[in-house]
Amino acid sequence: MTTWLAQRLVQSVFVVLVMTAIVFVGVNVIGDPVSILISPDANQQERARIVAEFGLDQPLWSQYLSFLKGTLQGNFGNSFVYGMPALQVILSRMPATMELAIAAILLSVLIGVPLGLYAGLRPHSFFAKFMMAGSILGFSVPLFWLALILIMFFSVYLGWLPASGRGQTVDFLGIGWSFFTWDGLSHLCLPVLTLSIFKISLIMRMVRAGVREVLPQEYIKFARAKGLSRQRLLYVHVLKNIMIPVVTIIGLEFGSLIAFSVVTESIFSWPGMGKLIIDSINVLDRPMIVAYLMIIVFIFVTINLIVDILYTTLDPRVRLSRD
Amino acid sequence: MMTRTLLVFASLLMSGAASAQNLKMGLGGQITSLDPHYHSASPNAAFSYTIFDRLTGTDENARLQPALATSWKMIDPLTWEFKLREGVKFHNGEDFTAEDVVFTFERIPKVTNSPGPYTSYLRGIERTEIVDPLTLRIRTSEPVPTLPLMLQRITILDSKTHANVTTEDFNSGKALIGTGPFKYVSGSSISGVKLARNDQHWGEKAAWETVDYRVVANNAARTAALLSGDVDMIDQVSSADVPRLSTNNAFEVVNATGLRLMYINLDHSRKENPVFITDASGKPLAKNPLTDVRVRQALSLAIDRKALAERVMDGLAVPSMQFMPPDTYGYAADIAAPAADPAKARALLAEAGYPQGFQITLHGSNDRFPNDARVLQAIGQMWTRIGVKTNVDAMPYGPFQSRASKQEFAAFLGTWGSAGEPGIGMTNTLATFDKEKGTGSINRGRYSNPAYDVALAAAVSEIDDTKREQAFQQVMRDVLNDMPILPLYIQKNTWALKKSIAFKGRADELTLPQEAKPSP
């Protein structure tokens, strides 16, 4: 277990190193942040001063080395745009994104798993067929379109739900959350619904396929013959055995919700990280891009770790180390 | 497309009357910092003007107005004297005096790591002397006749309150204490800021007890927020939404001619071996055709500016051949945008030795300015019509801007947004690129005309306001004969508001809550 963890860590550090080097070279090739950010009122001397303050007058390798040095001391550099430590800017927006991602994944699991179970157990019922057809729609509808349709219907036409922003937040553990207020919850509704439609469809179909595969197997027949209750059969023997692919997908989807919910965040003006990274890329704010990607790598590595550990509890045959 | 569908539902909307106590604003420009001296960009400036005041201000036509200074005069060419307003207090009760102005001028150069420093507006100031608490003398190293106009960009802080504050103290709201029409209540640039009226303000009191100041950067989302009643007014309405919003009874669309000129920048830096230009059959050209004034005039005459403004820009632009829009300082009424004349353009090309025309690539951004990519396409077609076969290459603003700064293009869509006078624009875009003198900083075509440089330098340092305005007008008339750039149009700024709100709009695109009133 420990060697396995250590291996994982070394791998992740390597991934981060390669990624930062690519970002440094890439951003440098795309262009020069100063010419984008500077006010056209400035003259050449003022421009030279900014370039020097950002360290962009140094050769690229020396910029990269000083970045690595800073990173070892826990300093990812200051954002060119915001003038604050990049990590701090990103972390200040993280709760909003996490809140959205957690709510969306919860909703997807709570709706997707029961619907999938039902569709797997009664594949020929009208409701199951209806849900399966609906899930194809859920897959194929673009997020962008769905978000605007939801806004049109619930905000503009019915006037029930707000179309943008995060609403009232309540401080908990020093961070503002909209979970705790009615206003905040109403702001959460539409973005969460937008993000979860696709994932509900995905989880539902995976659970259904799993159930259909597991039901005809010998051990289920045996368990039934043994006279186990239907509940025990379903929730212990069926569900546990179909969960491995579902947990993998939930983990990956959760990661991508955090990292790439940019479309939803833009349309609903949700003050999260996704919006921030796109703004930063547009102005080539390199410290922000690097810090953001490092955080994302970290999140994905952590989620995959949790997923792997979950495998062992779900299926005792799975071993983490190859010994 | 999406927004259009969205707007169909607008007719079904039952829009409630805005409460006269609270104004909810949805703004398009991203605020990058709440520190009023950190990053000079319009969204930051607009926000800072709600909480802080400046010595001078401008009206909706960008003409100078008194603010914290009640009057100013030039004592000698190198000295300005400002009389300050009496009895002005900061939100925390501290008095406003000349000392605060000196403190502010000293703080600005100390704000480091700024991507758009405010030191540009203090250029030329050597020292500031306090004559008495309400009189200030500013000494400059050279005549700076536009100083009062420059100072309208500088928000005044309090020497006591802000003695040791950092940019982070502003971003957290702790240091947002000014003399302005609103006080900071809560929030951040991310979540939106809540403001409350400053009842002790020296000027006209704001009509709103509280204001929700929030950025909604996505165009479709901003329109949706207005339609659904999340906000009462929005700015930067996308031109696709304007027709539907203006026919909706619940809303009003306001527009004002802005201060941003869009122009085609031409490459003067290469006399020979031009890049992105070939002859009509695609072979390289030895000489850069853009160095011939007849070619530049032909390219200008080929452009139908009226069609650009009315059709491509959906009426949200005014054709222009000069930096300043009508009714502003420096505008010359006799410089009119010419009508398109393809026949004459073709004749000029033939006269210049290009009867078969040539091929050129026109570059520009596709995500920064309203309809930028569509404008490029339209100009490409207009040029192709006179025999200059044009390839259009529109790209994201980041790489575009970086490459344009390195003279990598033959022709591209450039822009200049002025602060209410033409001098800086004419110096930065068209004067000879000179690092020592600081002229021509965004002269990306590297145009250089000694006669223009001399005449412009004389105009810039002319002390008399009327004479200076006339000098600017003359310099503009003269340089157009040489057609160094091809001015196209000046953009209009747009706002959409609930009918219950009255707002006049401003040339400088600032959306100030103190200027919105409940409709009579």
Side-chain angles (χ1 to χ4, degrees):
Chain A
M1 178 85 182
T2 345
T3 31
W4 173 80
L5 248 178
Q7 262 176 3
R8 265 295 175 90
L9 265 170
V10 171
Q11 272 174 13
S12 320
V13 170
F14 183 70
V15 167
V16 167
L17 261 178
V18 171
M19 190 269 308
T20 53
I22 292 175
V23 171
F24 259 75
V25 175
V27 171
N28 195 54
V29 168
I30 295 171
D32 159 30
V34 175
S35 64
I36 301 167
L37 286 169
I38 196 169
S39 149
D41 295 331
N43 63 19
Q44 288 90 332
Q45 289 99 12
E46 283 153 354
R47 190 194 146 88
R49 195 186 111 180
I50 299 169
V51 170
E53 277 181 357
F54 288 172
L56 295 172
D57 51 345
Q58 305 291 322
L60 193 63
W61 59 266
S62 114
Q63 291 179 40
Y64 186 63
L65 281 187
S66 53
F67 159 77
L68 285 184
K69 215 172 108 193
T71 307
L72 288 178
Q73 294 157 352
N75 172 17
F76 293 90
N78 273 15
S79 157
F80 295 157
V81 176
Y82 300 92
M84 296 199 289
L87 195 63
Q88 191 187 330
V89 177
I90 295 169
L91 290 184
S92 72
R93 301 240 192 169
M94 206 168 185
T97 296
M98 290 300 263
E99 187 170 57
L100 209 57
I102 291 170
I105 214 77
L106 273 180
L107 196 70
S108 315
V109 171
L110 290 181
I111 296 180
V113 173
L115 282 182
L117 274 179
Y118 179 85
L121 292 173
R122 293 209 169 74
H124 302 296
S125 72
F126 171 75
F127 183 65
K129 283 180 174 163
F130 176 77
M131 287 318 295
M132 280 300 115
S135 72
I136 294 176
L137 206 66
F139 270 133
S140 33
V141 166
L143 273 188
F144 177 74
W145 183 83
L146 180 69
L148 284 174
I149 292 294
L150 288 176
I151 290 180
M152 254 164 66
F153 190 70
F154 288 104
S155 306
V156 177
Y157 179 57
L158 291 176
W160 288 354
L161 292 168
S164 65
R166 209 176 159 204
Q168 197 189 342
T169 54
V170 171
D171 276 0
F172 177 66
L173 301 173
I175 304 165
W177 301 91
S178 26
F179 255 117
F180 303 116
T181 64
W182 185 242
D183 183 50
L185 278 176
S186 71
H187 279 85
L188 261 176
C189 279
L190 290 185
V192 165
L193 199 60
T194 307
L195 283 174
S196 36
I197 294 275
F198 175 85
K199 300 190 197 324
I200 291 174
S201 314
L202 186 67
I203 292 176
M204 187 168 98
R205 292 189 82 91
M206 292 212 50
V207 170
R208 175 183 177 271
V211 172
R212 300 281 293 143
E213 198 184 301
V214 163
L215 274 187
Q217 290 198 14
E218 298 286 323
Y219 70 92
I220 297 290
K221 283 184 191 152
F222 178 71
R224 212 179 260 163
K226 218 168 70 170
L228 284 184
S229 76
R230 197 177 153 72
Q231 262 71 24
R232 189 162 167 83
L233 187 80
L234 195 59
Y235 294 116
V236 176
H237 295 283
V238 175
L239 205 55
K240 208 173 165 187
N241 279 297
I242 62 170
M243 265 318 183
I244 285 198
V246 175
V247 165
T248 314
I249 287 294
I250 291 175
L252 284 178
E253 289 295 323
F254 184 62
S256 68
L257 269 178
I258 296 172
F260 312 116
S261 53
V262 51
V263 174
T264 312
E265 286 187 4
S266 297
I267 294 177
F268 291 99
S269 300
W270 192 263
M273 311 190 294
K275 183 80 185 52
L276 186 68
I277 184 65
I278 288 298
D279 290 344
S280 301
I281 291 173
N282 279 337
V283 297
L284 303 178
D285 191 345
R286 192 183 61 204
M288 292 289 290
I289 302 174
V290 174
Y292 182 85
L293 291 178
M294 286 175 78
I295 290 179
I296 294 305
V297 169
F298 175 76
I299 288 175
F300 268 96
V301 167
T302 315
I303 288 175
N304 281 336
L305 203 69
I306 294 172
V307 167
D308 283 347
I309 292 169
L310 276 180
Y311 283 170
T312 56
T313 46
L314 283 172
D315 187 346
R317 286 170 305 180
V318 176
R319 294 275 180 280
L320 289 180
S321 44
R322 257 175 268 132
D323 47 22
Chain B
M1 183 60 205
M2 288 305 148
T3 44
R4 282 178 197 224
T5 352
L6 231 172
L7 285 160
V8 175
F9 280 76
S11 49
L12 299 160
L13 175 74
M14 305 293 284
S15 155
S19 114
Q21 271 76 46
N22 187 30
L23 176 70
K24 292 177 284 183
M25 307 170 72
L27 300 130
Q30 194 68 52
I31 299 175
T32 56
S33 178
L34 299 185
D35 182 335
H37 300 149
Y38 174 67
H39 182 190
S40 173
S42 335
N44 297 348
F47 174 76
S48 70
Y49 298 167
T50 62
I51 288 181
F52 302 95
D53 281 318
R54 300 146 288 155
L55 288 183
T56 60
T58 50
D59 66 6
E60 66 266 23
N61 287 327
R63 298 253 177 192
L64 209 52
Q65 299 287 317
L68 283 182
T70 50
S71 67
W72 49 89
K73 60 172 189 279
M74 197 180 237
I75 297 179
D76 61 63
L78 296 180
T79 313
W80 279 93
E81 184 174 280
F82 286 80
K83 287 277 178 204
L84 305 184
R85 199 173 289 276
E86 209 184 331
V88 175
K89 283 190 186 300
F90 283 89
H91 298 157
N92 61 358
E94 296 286 350
D95 286 316
F96 160 70
T97 64
E99 217 167 293
D100 301 321
V101 181
V102 175
F103 167 77
T104 300
F105 288 3
E106 282 168 359
R107 176 177 190 257
I108 285 169
K110 288 186 211 148
V111 179
T112 52
N113 289 324
S114 158
Y118 276 81
T119 45
S120 306
Y121 311 110
L122 296 179
R123 222 179 273 155
I125 295 183
E126 222 168 45
R127 60 180 194 280
T128 313
E129 292 163 5
I130 299 172
V131 178
D132 63 61
L134 295 175
T135 311
L136 195 72
R137 279 203 184 148
I138 300 178
R139 306 247 183 230
T140 58
S141 50
E142 57 194 341
V144 187
T146 50
L147 188 70
L149 195 67
M150 297 287 103
L151 291 184
Q152 67 106 358
R153 304 294 286 266
I154 304 289
T155 47
I156 303 297
L157 301 184
D158 179 29
S159 56
K160 296 187 191 73
T161 316
H162 298 105
N164 291 310
V165 298
T166 59
T167 295
E168 272 167 56
D169 292 327
F170 285 100
N171 286 335
S172 70
K174 206 171 84 184
L176 288 175
I177 295 163
T179 59
F182 291 97
K183 298 176 181 179
Y184 170 82
V185 178
S186 62
S188 69
S189 61
I190 303 169
S191 61
V193 177
K194 184 107 184 155
L195 300 168
R197 179 170 57 213
N198 172 14
D199 287 312
Q200 268 75 51
H201 190 243
W202 51 268
E204 197 190 338
K205 305 276 180 295
W208 316 98
E209 229 161 72
T210 53
V211 170
D212 289 323
Y213 198 100
R214 193 153 66 86
V215 174
V216 184
N218 183 283
N219 284 339
R222 202 160 56 252
T223 305
L226 178 71
L227 290 174
S228 63
D230 277 6
V231 298
D232 302 325
M233 68 183 292
I234 58 172
D235 62 0
Q236 298 178 27
V237 187
S238 86
S239 63
D241 291 347
V242 167
R244 312 288 174 114
L245 274 174
S246 25
T247 51
N248 187 317
N249 286 331
F251 303 103
E252 191 181 1
V253 176
V254 175
N255 60 55
T257 307
L259 294 169
R260 180 172 294 286
L261 172 78
M262 303 299 292
Y263 60 81
I264 297 292
N265 193 95
L266 301 172
D267 181 26
H268 301 264
S269 66
R270 297 172 182 82
K271 303 282 172 253
E272 278 134 25
N273 302 322
V275 291
F276 288 115
I277 300 178
T278 60
D279 75 357
S281 57
K283 290 196 198 71
L285 277 169
K287 190 168 158 268
N288 180 359
L290 299 178
T291 51
D292 190 320
V293 63
R294 289 167 297 190
V295 173
R296 301 199 293 268
Q297 262 153 357
L299 292 176
S300 175
L301 280 173
I303 297 172
D304 187 345
R305 294 176 170 82
K306 208 170 148 221
L308 283 185
E310 282 171 13
R311 295 213 293 277
V312 184
M313 290 292 294
D314 297 302
L316 292 178
V318 192
S320 178
M321 289 301 282
Q322 54 187 319
F323 284 98
M324 303 305 292
D327 300 325
T328 58
Y329 181 83
Y331 170 74
D334 58 311
I335 303 179
D341 191 344
K344 196 176 167 199
R346 258 184 238 111
L348 276 168
L349 272 184
E351 201 184 311
Y354 302 96
Q356 305 301 317
F358 54 88
Q359 292 191 28
I360 191 166
T361 304
L362 176 62
H363 287 88
S365 59
N366 58 11
D367 58 355
R368 177 79 168 199
F369 303 103
N371 305 319
D372 41 10
R374 283 172 66 198
V375 168
L376 290 169
Q377 292 292 349
I379 293 173
Q381 285 167 22
M382 291 167 184
W383 281 358
T384 304
R385 209 167 48 194
I386 63 159
V388 178
K389 193 167 169 270
T390 309
N391 305 307
V392 170
D393 188 357
M395 59 183 85
Y397 185 73
F400 160 71
Q401 184 75 345
S402 308
R403 291 177 66 189
S405 310
K406 288 186 233 155
Q407 285 77 51
E408 285 188 22
F409 303 139
F412 68 83
L413 184 67
T415 177
W416 168 262
S418 82
E421 67 91 46
I424 301 181
M426 293 169 82
T427 306
N428 289 8
T429 55
L430 288 176
T432 305
F433 182 87
D434 185 333
K435 277 191 178 165
E436 299 302 308
K437 284 195 229 156
T439 57
S441 59
I442 58 166
N443 180 353
R444 302 204 163 98
R446 297 290 187 261
Y447 174 70
S448 179
N449 176 346
Y452 173 83
D453 291 348
V454 172
L456 182 62
V460 167
S461 53
E462 170 60 52
I463 291 156
D464 184 83
D465 282 348
T466 321
K467 277 190 199 158
R468 189 171 67 250
E469 182 169 20
Q470 286 163 354
F472 281 140
Q473 291 163 345
Q474 193 53 46
V475 174
M476 195 67 221
R477 273 181 215 115
D478 291 343
V479 79
L480 275 181
N481 293 327
D482 206 23
M483 201 61 76
I485 55 170
L486 317 179
L488 300 172
Y489 55 83
I490 287 181
Q491 287 177 5
K492 284 186 186 174
N493 306 322
T494 50
W495 291 265
L497 11 133
K498 284 187 179 161
K499 274 275 158 68
S500 52
I501 299 170
F503 181 73
K504 273 196 289 191
R506 290 177 63 92
D508 58 14
E509 75 191 54
L510 301 181
T511 310
L512 302 175
Q514 56 267 42
E515 292 183 353
K517 308 263 181 302
S519 319

